Amino acid sequence: MMKRTLLGLAGAIALTVGLQVAPAMAQDCTVDVGTVYPTSVDWGQPIAQTALWVGDMINEAGGVDGCEVNMILRDDQNDSRVGVDAARALVDLDGVQLLIGTVSSGISIPILTSVTAPAGVMQMSCCSSSTRLTEIAASGEANGLWFRTFATADVQAAVAAMLAQDAGIESVTVLFKNDDWGQDIGRIAAEAFEAVGITVHESIAINDAQPSYRAEATQALRDQPEALYLALYPTEGISFVREWIGLGGTSTMIGANSLKSDDFRAAVGLDNLTAFVGTDTSSPRVASADAFVDAYTAQFEGPPSGPGLANSFDAAAIALLAYHAAGRDATGADIAAQVTAVTDPEGEAIPATVEGFARAMEVLSEGGTVSYQGATGAVTFDANGNVSAPAVSWVFAEAGPSEERYISLEEVAAFMASMN
């Protein structure tokens, strides 16, 4: 398989990627698939790259219903207006019936409500965690077209409270990005801290692109919290934490997985991150997850270390296999209806390899079902398109983010039940 790089994507608004296939697998028809990811930012490029890699693998396995997959990639620039415009172009101009993406809930939500659901296009996200998306799906507004391979914000919020409680922290101030995702996880995290007896002094919204966050840092410092909880993205996270440290604030910080960034680590400095611990959802400790790490390392000459990579792989694989099961002329609703055939616990277990995809296509073409065993394990969705997941805590090291503790699905569930 071709080793693809995205080095030229920074600042690009759109890129159409023609996926190569082996001559023996060459197809004489094409299926266009929309892909929206923030390729302008350092952590977004590998997420998009992983999805494109799955497209390569599906083509090598025979394509979607015998047709070559053409992944049309557009950069949302981590901006909701740009993301909606990108999605609208994919739906209205390119005529896609499947959209894979995006990362931020603050972009996925308006894409779902104003573009994909009204147009009858299926949307599969790797990384959006807002519980608002669950509400949209439960209300029927998503028309059964919404799925995500990343657990909701409840998991990370609960793990943050668990880590704070274990560390003996008694007070915290919450800083959250002022968008749909940040407002959601910031609120849930504050509730989780309070549920375990930790005082939340304040919850402070952080807006994009301010010239300074000194006022917010001064406000946060007023009550002298023992720790900060940061539900921020790297750009505003860097600016805020620099102001905070400069004012003499504590270096004890708990961060969401959005800060698992080399840019954040380098700009803030490891010396200021010695008491920082991050949260993230995780793949279960199963053979298929280990196989993904090995395959990713071989493909990209390094292990998957950024956020959302395993989730991006599974989102693309499940969506494309469902497209195959529905047929080349399928509508978004047809594709969505076949997701259960790809993730049936009673179906034939298939690995996330070219050979596994080929076998899955054979079974699905015959009207059977498969149990996809992917980078995040045996994926299943609830009625609102959600998944459950274990979690991890992580810290910054010289080589990048390093896992500190694995928290099983059972541990996460038990802790969340104890809070309730």
Side-chain angles (χ1 to χ4, degrees), residues 128-412:
S128 295
S129 62
S130 173
T131 57
R132 173 64 185 140
L133 286 157
T134 302
E135 295 170 0
I136 292 169
S139 73
E141 187 179 356
N143 297 326
L145 298 168
W146 164 256
F147 300 87
R148 53 179 157 184
T149 53
F150 196 86
T152 63
D154 303 71
V155 173
Q156 282 203 69
V159 171
M162 178 190 294
L163 297 175
Q165 185 181 57
D166 290 349
I169 293 170
E170 296 183 355
S171 67
V172 65
T173 288
V174 173
L175 286 302
F176 62 90
K177 182 177 174 68
N178 198 15
D179 67 0
D180 290 304
W181 167 78
Q183 293 164 12
D184 184 63
I185 194 171
R187 172 184 58 81
I188 297 171
E191 292 172 354
F193 288 128
E194 291 173 342
V196 297
I198 296 173
T199 300
V200 178
H201 289 305
E202 288 193 81
S203 291
I204 302 172
I206 299 293
N207 296 309
D208 286 336
Q210 290 184 195
S212 171
Y213 293 98
R214 190 173 187 84
E216 290 82 359
T218 301
Q219 180 184 354
L221 193 63
R222 183 173 56 203
D223 294 309
Q224 294 293 314
E226 291 183 41
L228 294 183
Y229 176 72
L230 304 174
L232 304 174
Y233 276 24
T235 300
E236 64 271 12
I238 290 167
S239 298
F240 175 83
V241 172
R242 281 175 164 175
E243 296 278 11
W244 173 257
I245 296 297
L247 290 173
T250 178
S251 61
T252 301
M253 293 176 276
I254 302 172
N257 70 331
S258 53
L259 290 177
K260 191 185 283 186
S261 159
D262 288 337
D263 283 355
F264 179 78
R265 175 177 60 90
V268 174
L270 276 178
D271 290 346
N272 294 319
L273 295 170
T274 55
F276 178 101
V277 61
T279 65
D280 202 353
T281 58
S282 174
S283 300
R285 297 312 196 240
V286 294
S288 65
D290 294 339
F292 164 74
V293 173
D294 293 341
Y296 185 99
T297 302
Q299 177 70 15
F300 299 109
E301 300 178 349
S305 61
L309 300 180
N311 310 85
S312 177
F313 187 96
D314 286 349
I318 293 168
L320 292 176
L321 288 174
Y323 206 150
H324 171 85
R328 67 188 70 174
D329 298 320
T331 66
D334 295 333
I335 301 168
Q338 292 299 322
V339 169
T340 54
V342 178
T343 58
D344 179 6
E346 303 300 319
E348 180 178 334
I350 63 108
T353 62
V354 171
E355 295 76 17
F357 292 154
R359 174 57 184 163
M361 291 174 186
E362 180 182 356
V363 173
L364 293 167
S365 294
E366 295 172 352
T369 64
V370 299
S371 174
Y372 170 78
Q373 311 283 312
T376 59
V379 180
T380 58
F381 298 94
D382 68 13
N384 297 315
N386 293 332
V387 296
S388 299
V392 293
S393 63
W394 54 274
V395 296
F396 283 113
E398 286 288 349
S402 175
E403 182 179 314
E404 182 182 57
R405 176 185 172 191
Y406 173 74
I407 306 165
S408 70
L409 182 61
E410 292 76 16
E411 288 179 274
V412 172

Side-chain angles (χ1 to χ4, degrees), residues 113-136:
T113 57
S114 66
V115 182
T116 53
V121 172
M122 176 178 148
Q123 184 176 345
M124 173 75 83
S125 170
C126 69
C127 312
S128 295
S129 62
S130 173
T131 57
R132 173 64 185 140
L133 286 157
T134 302
E135 295 170 0
I136 292 169

